[in-house]
Amino acid sequence: MRSIILSLFFLFALSLPGQEQFSDWRAVMLPRSDRSVEITETITVISEGDQVKRGITRSLPDSRRHPLRILSVERGGREENYHTKKSGGTTTIYAGQKDVMLRPGTYGYRIRYRIDRAVVREGELDELQVEIIGPDVTLPVRRASAEVELPPDLQVVQRSCYTGRNREAAGNCTMTAADSGRMSFTATGQLGNGEQLSVAVGFAPGYFDEPKPGSMSAEESVAVPWWRGEGSVMLFLLAAIGMLWYGYQSWRKYGVDPEGPPVGAVYAPPGDLSPAAAGYVYTTFDTNAIPNFTASILYLATRGYLRIEEVEEAGVFSTSYTYVLRASEEAPPTSALAPEQLFVYERLFADGPELRLEENYDKQFQKIANEHAERVKKTYAGRREVQTNGWKVLPLVGIFTATLIPAVLLLKSDTTGWALPAFVGFLSLGGIGIFLYAWLIRKPSAELVALRTELEALRDYLGLPEEKRKRLLNAPKMDKDHYEALLPYAIALGIHTKWSDYFGDLLSQHGYNPVWMSGAGAFQAHRFNDNFNRVVGSSSTPPGTSGSASAGGGSVGGGVGGGGAGGW
C-alpha cells in the first residue's frame, strides 16, 4: 500500500509544470586599456514554453556615454540567429527566430558584447563597475557569478560586490582575491525579479588610457540628430537672449521708477509721519521692525509719556545694561499719538506702571514688538503704494520654461561633461534673474517716490558734519529740543549714530540731562542710543534669528551593464 501511494505521488509530481528559470548565469569581464570592457555571459535557461518559447531576450543599456556593441550570440556552442530592438536608451537582443519554437528543456546561451568608456576615473583610481543582473530580469536566477580577467600590468586596489534592489547595498556575495590573473564574485542567494548583482573593482592608475571626455566615435556622431546637438545649443542661446531682451525692454517700459521732485534741505519729517511710519515708508522690505519699535518707545519718552531708567552692571569682561520703563502719571491723550504709539504705551504698561528690559529674550516683549510692526503695516500700507506689475513676470517665466527644452536635449546628448554644470548654473541664474526681475519691475507710485525723496533729504540732514551744517540757510537752532524732536526719526532711518555724535559734545558742554532719562552717570547720547537699541533688540528677538568611488562604498544600480532578461 505504501509503495502505491509513493508511486502516485511521484506521477503527480511529474505532471506538474516546472518553473522557468535561469539556472546559471556567469559573466566574464575583460577590461581593455582603451577603457572599454568586453563581457561574455554564459546563461543556462530552463524552458517550459511559457515565457521562453523561441529563445531568451537580453536587454542592455546603450547610451552615448557608454556605447554598446554586440559581438556574438550563440546557443549550444553554435551561432544563433538574433535580432535587436532599440528603445529608450536600451538595446534588446532577441535570440532565436520568430517562427521557430523551442521544445521544453535546458538550453545554454553565450552572449558577447563590448561597452565603451566603461572604466571611469573616480578620484585617484580607475574604476570598473558592472551590473551583472539588472532590475528587469523577469525570471529567477538560481546561481550567478562573475569573473574579471586581469591583464598582467593591471593592479587591483579595492573590490566590492552588491546585491539587493536598486540603490541597496547588501553584500550577499563572496569574493576571491586576484589569483592567476582572475578575480571572482559569487552571489549567495536567488536573484532576478528586481534582485540585482553589481560588482566594482578599483584599479591603480597607469594601465588605462587617459580619459578623453570630448571624444566620440563616428558612429555616435552620425546617430545624433542636428536638433539634439548643435541645434539645441542654438535654440538654448536664442531663448536665453530672448529672456534678456524681454526683461530689459519690459523693465524700461513698466519698471523704471518715476523721478522724485526737487527738494532742498529738509529739517523736519514730511507730513504727519510718525517715526515708525517714516522708517516703514523709507524701506522697500519689512526689515526695519525693531528700529521702528525702538523709535516709537523713544518718541513716547521724549514727549514725556514715559521715563527710562538706566541700570549699569559691570562684569568681569563686559558691562551689561538694564532699562526700566516707567509710565507717566497721566495717560497720554489719544489725539496726541499715532495709532501704533498709543498701542505700544497701552501694552507696555498693561500689567503695571513699570517694565524691566534686560539683555535677554522676553517672549511677551517680542509679542508687543510683532504687534507693533503689524499695526504700522496696516496703518501706513497706503502710503507705500507700489504697482507690482506681476503679470509682466509671466512671459519671462514662459520663456525660461521653453528654454529648458533645448537645455534638456543638450544635456542628454552631451559627452563632454560640461552640459550638466552649465545646466545647473542656468537654472540657478535663471531663477535668481526671475526673482530680481520681479523686484525691479515693481513701480512705486509718484506719491511714494516724493515721500521717499523727502525722507532721504531728512536723512542727509541728520547725518551732515558740522562744517556742512553751518552752510545751511534758515536751519533750526541746534539745541536739546531739536535733538530730542528728531532722535526717534534718526533711529527709524538708521542715522542715529551720526545725529547723536554731532550733539554729543554740544550737549555735554551744557550739562544736558534729559528729563525722560535717569540712571548711570552723565547722559552720553551715542552710548545711550547704542545700548538702548541693543537691549530692545535682544529682548524682542528670539535667540538664533538674526562623492567617492563605488569600489569603496556604493550600491546596486551603478556603473554599466545591467538591464534585463527573459524570454520571447
Side-chain angles (χ1 to χ4, degrees):
M1 184 67 179
R2 183 179 179 184
S3 60
I4 295 175
I5 294 175
L6 290 175
S7 299
L8 291 174
F9 178 78
F10 178 72
L11 291 173
F12 175 74
L14 289 176
S15 67
L16 291 176
Q19 182 185 23
E20 289 189 325
Q21 59 183 274
F22 294 115
S23 58
D24 187 68
W25 188 312
R26 178 171 174 264
V28 178
M29 296 166 282
L30 175 61
R32 298 187 178 277
S33 60
D34 62 357
R35 296 187 173 270
S36 66
V37 62
E38 185 177 311
I39 301 177
T40 301
E41 293 179 341
T42 303
I43 302 173
T44 302
V45 62
I46 298 177
S47 169
E48 296 292 337
D50 183 12
Q51 290 189 46
V52 185
K53 298 181 177 68
R54 304 169 183 83
I56 66 170
T57 62
R58 181 70 173 101
S59 300
L60 293 163
D62 186 3
S63 66
R64 286 171 53 82
R65 190 173 298 277
H66 301 294
L68 172 71
R69 303 179 188 179
I70 308 300
L71 302 179
S72 65
V73 177
E74 298 178 3
R75 176 168 67 88
R78 296 181 179 181
E79 184 177 346
E80 175 75 335
N81 291 314
Y82 73 94
H83 68 277
T84 62
K85 289 184 179 179
K86 293 187 177 182
S87 175
T90 299
T91 295
T92 301
I93 304 170
Y94 293 82
Q97 301 180 64
K98 183 178 181 180
D99 55 352
V100 177
M101 300 295 178
L102 298 178
R103 295 180 179 180
T106 300
Y107 298 91
Y109 288 86
R110 187 169 180 263
I111 300 175
R112 291 176 58 242
Y113 55 91
R114 177 172 175 166
I115 301 175
D116 290 340
R117 307 191 195 107
V119 181
V120 298
R121 177 65 53 83
E122 291 287 352
E124 297 181 355
L125 300 180
D126 289 318
E127 182 191 78
L128 172 65
Q129 182 169 354
V130 180
E131 195 175 13
I132 305 300
I133 308 297
D136 300 322
V137 176
T138 58
L139 297 179
V141 180
R142 295 300 180 189
R143 293 185 301 274
S145 61
E147 291 185 0
V148 180
E149 294 185 356
L150 303 172
D153 298 332
L154 186 57
Q155 180 182 356
V156 175
V157 177
Q158 54 190 19
R159 63 191 187 278
S160 297
C161 61
Y162 311 105
T163 60
R165 295 189 175 273
N166 196 34
R167 298 304 174 188
E168 293 181 352
N172 298 326
C173 51
T174 60
M175 300 178 289
T176 61
D179 184 25
S180 301
R182 285 181 177 265
M183 175 186 301
S184 64
F185 306 83
T186 304
T188 56
Q190 179 175 297
L191 302 175
N193 295 315
E195 294 292 329
Q196 307 168 55
L197 170 65
S198 291
V199 301
V201 184
F203 304 105
Y207 176 80
F208 297 101
D209 298 339
E210 285 300 312
K212 298 178 180 179
S215 61
M216 288 193 300
S217 65
E219 180 183 11
E220 291 179 281
S221 300
V222 173
V224 181
W226 176 86
W227 53 270
R228 289 188 58 183
E230 295 85 351
S232 61
V233 175
M234 184 177 297
L235 290 174
F236 173 76
L237 292 176
L238 288 175
I241 293 172
M243 282 186 64
L244 294 174
W245 181 86
Y246 170 81
Y248 177 71
Q249 293 295 332
S250 59
W251 170 77
R252 285 191 61 188
K253 186 174 181 180
Y254 299 102
V256 176
D257 294 354
E259 292 186 7
V263 296
V266 176
Y267 307 132
D272 56 348
L273 291 183
S274 66
Y280 171 76
V281 170
Y282 181 73
T283 56
T284 302
F285 302 105
D286 299 332
T287 57
N288 212 41
I290 297 303
N292 292 345
F293 183 47
T294 306
S296 291
I297 295 175
L298 278 179
Y299 184 89
L300 293 172
T302 56
R303 271 60 177 177
Y305 300 123
L306 64 82
R307 287 178 54 83
I308 302 174
E309 179 184 352
E310 183 182 64
V311 180
E312 181 179 328
E313 298 177 1
V316 178
F317 299 105
S318 62
T319 300
S320 62
Y321 292 88
T322 299
Y323 291 94
V324 181
L325 308 183
R326 291 189 174 90
S328 58
E329 295 181 0
E330 295 184 6
T334 304
S335 60
L337 297 177
E340 77 277 3
Q341 295 166 351
L342 185 62
F343 164 79
V344 168
Y345 182 87
E346 293 174 349
R347 290 299 306 274
L348 288 178
F349 306 114
D351 298 328
E354 182 177 298
L355 179 68
R356 188 179 184 88
L357 298 181
E358 299 178 348
E359 295 187 54
N360 297 311
Y361 169 60
D362 186 321
K363 185 176 181 180
Q364 186 61 28
F365 194 67
Q366 184 211 13
K367 186 177 180 181
I368 298 174
N370 290 343
E371 291 179 359
H372 171 269
E374 290 300 320
R375 291 293 181 100
V376 170
K377 185 176 181 179
K378 182 178 180 180
T379 304
Y380 303 103
R383 307 293 293 272
R384 203 169 77 173
E385 184 180 354
V386 176
Q387 185 178 355
T388 60
N389 290 323
W391 61 277
K392 301 302 296 181
V393 182
L394 297 180
L396 190 68
V397 174
I399 297 174
F400 178 73
T401 304
T403 307
L404 297 181
I405 298 175
V408 171
L409 293 176
L410 181 61
L411 187 66
K412 288 185 175 181
S413 63
D414 173 60
T415 59
T416 64
W418 66 266
L420 180 59
F423 181 71
V424 173
F426 174 74
L427 283 180
S428 303
L429 293 177
I432 294 172
I434 290 175
F435 279 108
L436 181 62
Y437 174 81
W439 178 68
L440 290 174
I441 201 67
R442 292 160 48 94
K443 188 174 184 177
S445 63
E447 294 78 8
L448 177 58
V449 172
L451 200 55
R452 284 178 173 171
T453 302
E454 289 189 65
L455 289 172
E456 184 66 35
L458 175 62
R459 195 175 185 276
D460 291 341
Y461 166 71
L462 294 172
L464 280 178
E466 184 175 4
E467 61 273 11
K468 291 186 178 181
R469 197 179 298 275
K470 290 179 179 179
R471 303 179 197 150
L472 296 175
L473 298 176
N474 302 318
K477 185 179 180 180
M478 306 303 289
D479 55 16
K480 68 178 186 63
D481 294 332
H482 190 53
Y483 168 72
E484 291 180 351
L486 293 184
L487 176 59
Y489 291 92
I491 289 176
L493 296 174
I495 200 69
H496 60 276
T497 300
K498 291 186 177 180
W499 182 245
S500 294
D501 284 347
Y502 175 79
F503 276 93
D505 295 336
L506 183 63
L507 296 177
S508 298
Q509 291 172 6
H510 294 82
Y512 169 67
N513 282 303
V515 295
W516 47 270
M517 172 73 189
S518 63
F523 178 80
Q524 297 179 7
H526 65 282
R527 180 184 61 80
F528 166 74
N529 289 338
D530 291 342
N531 293 337
F532 188 70
N533 267 310
R534 186 179 68 253
V535 172
V536 171
S538 299
S539 300
S540 58
T541 306
T545 57
S546 313
S548 64
S550 295
S555 62
V556 296
V560 297
W568 73 295

